[in-house]
Amino acid sequence: MKPAALEDAALLARVAEGDEAAIESIYERYGGACFALARRILNDTQLAEDVVQQVFLAMWQGSGYDSRRGAVSTWLLSVTHHKAVDAVRREGTRRKRLAGEQALLEIAAAGPGPDDEVWAHLRAQRTRDALRVLPAEQREVVLLAYYGGYTQREIADLTGLPLGTVKSRTLTALRRLREQLGGISETRPEEGRPA
């Protein structure tokens, strides 16, 4: 086990015993990355802060973290991602209830249509499925880089891995993802066909 992972495991054991200093240490280590991810998904500082608070409250109350499934950082970012997406859905539902019919028509006219949203959802689901196929050590560096926004050097510092190892894992992971996602494009299928 890597030194950072050992420290995280020790901190989690102390959190389970009710040690507030331990959860503060984990927050200092990973709270910024969780906030950055939540902020990017939600595009709302207050909602992002609420999500991060929920993530660390869940950890305090008994996280359900399993060390066999990856690093604490990866788990925290995954929980943050799920809670942020849930918040987007809740906020969207709340706003729809509050918005008048005219406002909804204006939003629909200016934004992407339902078919665009379905296509984006399908692409996102295929990407998540492809990420699940990756070995844990490759998935960890990809999640830290693309969802956490960390540079490869920062990932090396966080995980305790040599920079060269982070680079090679990232490259291998991206190649595997490219193979898995070979048939998916950024545009809807009919946009690429001649009329």
Side-chain angles (χ1 to χ4, degrees):
M1 207 180 249
K2 299 171 268 198
L6 288 172
E7 288 177 27
D8 289 346
L11 286 171
L12 282 175
R14 288 176 39 208
V15 167
E17 295 168 0
D19 185 341
E20 291 180 21
I23 199 158
E24 287 175 16
S25 294
I26 293 175
Y27 180 82
E28 286 175 15
R29 196 175 276 187
Y30 303 115
C34 291
F35 175 77
L37 174 59
R39 176 74 174 89
R40 192 169 31 232
I41 292 169
L42 294 162
N43 198 25
D44 182 303
T45 300
Q46 184 62 47
L47 284 175
E49 289 171 353
D50 291 346
V51 164
V52 172
Q53 184 177 8
Q54 291 171 19
V55 169
F56 283 88
L57 180 62
M59 176 179 274
W60 180 252
Q61 293 174 334
S63 63
Y65 168 73
D66 181 358
S67 60
R68 294 172 294 181
R69 297 187 68 201
V72 172
S73 57
T74 305
W75 178 80
L76 283 170
L77 289 171
S78 177
V79 172
T80 300
H81 182 265
H82 290 297
K83 288 189 179 295
V85 169
D86 289 345
V88 166
R89 289 185 186 128
R90 276 192 313 273
E91 186 65 15
T93 302
R94 187 184 72 79
R95 286 181 181 168
K96 284 179 185 174
R97 277 196 318 263
L98 298 176
E101 189 175 304
Q102 183 61 33
L104 289 176
L105 290 173
E106 289 172 13
I107 291 169
D115 53 341
D116 294 322
E117 291 177 16
V118 167
W119 184 244
H121 176 74
L122 288 172
R123 277 195 334 259
Q125 184 60 48
R126 285 211 40 210
T127 302
R128 282 191 297 273
D129 292 343
L131 281 167
R132 285 188 192 104
V133 173
L134 292 176
E137 63 274 358
Q138 292 175 9
R139 184 173 52 244
E140 177 182 17
V141 296
V142 169
L143 289 175
L144 287 171
Y146 292 96
Y147 290 108
Y150 288 104
T151 65
Q152 289 182 327
R153 184 166 305 285
E154 290 170 333
I155 293 169
D157 292 341
L158 268 174
T159 60
L161 294 170
L163 180 58
T165 302
V166 171
K167 288 181 178 184
S168 65
R169 284 183 182 177
T170 303
L171 182 61
T172 303
L174 291 177
R175 285 183 181 149
R176 285 185 173 182
L177 286 173
R178 191 174 297 122
E179 290 170 10
Q180 291 286 324
L181 300 172
I184 197 166
S185 73
E186 287 297 313
T187 58
R188 293 190 321 232
E190 67 272 7
E191 290 178 5
R193 295 186 193 136

